[in-house]
Amino acid sequence: MSRAARLLELLQVLRRHRQPVAGAALAQQLGISLRTLYRDIASLQAQGAAIEGEAGLGYLLKPGFVLPPLMFTAEELEALVLGSRWVIKRGKDARLAEAARRALDKISAVLPAEARHQLDSHALLVGPAPAEPAESPWLARLRAAIRDEQILGLTYRDLKGRLSERRIWPFALGYFEQVELVVAWCEQRQALRNFRVDHIQALQDTGQRYPRPRQALLKEWQAQEKIAAARN
């Protein structure tokens, strides 16, 4: 690995952490000595990277620092294109599919020539869906409500065909081969619940923001899933 690539990888590793990371842990991840890591940290700081910390305390990249744009490896480009093509071809959210197309166009427009050629000649293909996916009328609105942490009114048909009216705090969407699930706090049940998107009969915007942060709800749900998995 060249020094430039190593410095970029160090920035990428720091970006993934929200708490200070020990120098020894960073050196181990990068496969370099601790002495080399300290030199790399100092070099990045001299070039303007907002890295806080010192030896013995750990290092943290301050929020808001922007990496040099579009410095992708071949495999990173493959991952971006394959994921975008899956959204375009297999998804049920037309607005998200169009966003994926625009994102690929923007990336291609500003890539260096060699990387643009790799993007345009990408050979990882997405196979056809078992059945033509029907566009969902709810996914875009659910995504917007999750972004804005908005309470939704929900008319829902359960697996037994029974209708119910709910008020939910949606905080995550799960995309599976056949169905999509919205994960939410249900006010009626006073508990976390999963709702199949294709069983939603109607959505009502309440204009109300739910009182707990989305991240806190997500962490609670993840902890609940870990406990359930351990029991099984």
Side-chain angles (χ1 to χ4, degrees):
M1 181 186 295
S2 68
R3 184 169 184 270
R6 190 178 71 240
L7 292 176
L8 178 60
E9 181 63 20
L10 173 55
L11 284 172
Q12 297 280 22
V13 171
L14 286 168
R15 284 189 77 186
R16 293 196 289 266
H17 295 275
R18 297 185 179 181
Q19 301 296 326
V21 189
L26 290 171
Q28 183 179 15
Q29 289 185 60
L30 295 167
I32 60 177
S33 69
L34 199 54
R35 183 187 297 271
T36 299
L37 175 81
Y38 292 151
R39 286 201 302 264
D40 287 350
I41 291 284
S43 178
L44 288 170
Q45 288 172 330
Q47 295 175 43
I51 300 173
E52 294 183 336
E54 58 185 80
L57 298 177
Y59 297 93
L60 179 68
L61 185 65
K62 290 179 65 176
F65 179 75
V66 179
L67 290 176
L70 303 176
M71 297 175 67
F72 296 122
T73 66
E75 287 188 337
E76 287 169 345
L77 282 174
E78 288 177 346
L80 284 170
V81 176
L82 185 60
S84 296
R85 287 182 175 175
W86 193 96
V87 171
I88 292 168
K89 191 168 185 177
R90 302 289 293 271
K92 302 174 186 177
D93 189 333
R95 290 175 61 179
L96 202 60
E98 182 56 31
R101 292 189 186 94
R102 293 197 306 268
L104 284 179
D105 289 343
K106 288 180 180 179
I107 291 171
S108 179
V110 296
L111 281 173
E114 181 180 350
R116 187 183 305 118
H117 175 72
Q118 292 177 350
L119 182 73
D120 295 340
S121 61
H122 174 65
L124 300 182
L125 307 177
V126 177
E132 185 68 23
E135 182 179 347
S136 169
W138 312 124
L139 287 173
R141 289 178 65 186
L142 288 167
R143 287 191 292 105
I146 290 170
R147 283 196 304 270
D148 297 335
E149 300 185 353
Q150 294 292 311
I151 298 173
L152 290 176
L154 177 70
T155 303
Y156 189 72
R157 175 173 54 83
D158 67 17
L159 293 175
K160 295 183 179 180
R162 297 171 298 197
L163 288 176
S164 61
E165 300 293 330
R166 313 285 186 95
R167 274 171 55 97
I168 64 170
W169 309 352
F171 59 88
L173 267 174
Y175 291 81
F176 299 88
E177 187 69 25
Q178 301 295 331
V179 300
E180 293 79 33
L181 297 178
V182 58
V183 189
W185 175 265
C186 176
E187 291 186 355
Q188 278 72 15
R189 298 292 184 266
Q190 286 293 293
L192 297 170
R193 289 288 187 268
N194 299 331
F195 298 94
R196 283 183 51 154
V197 174
D198 60 337
H199 283 208
I200 295 174
Q201 306 301 299
L203 284 177
Q204 298 86 37
D205 297 320
T206 67
Q208 298 176 336
R209 188 182 179 94
Y210 48 76
R212 297 179 59 193
R214 180 177 67 244
Q215 191 63 28
L217 290 167
L218 185 60
K219 286 183 178 179
E220 182 180 336
W221 175 77
Q222 289 170 338
Q224 181 175 288
E225 290 296 297
K226 286 182 180 178
I227 293 173
R231 289 173 178 170
N232 295 331

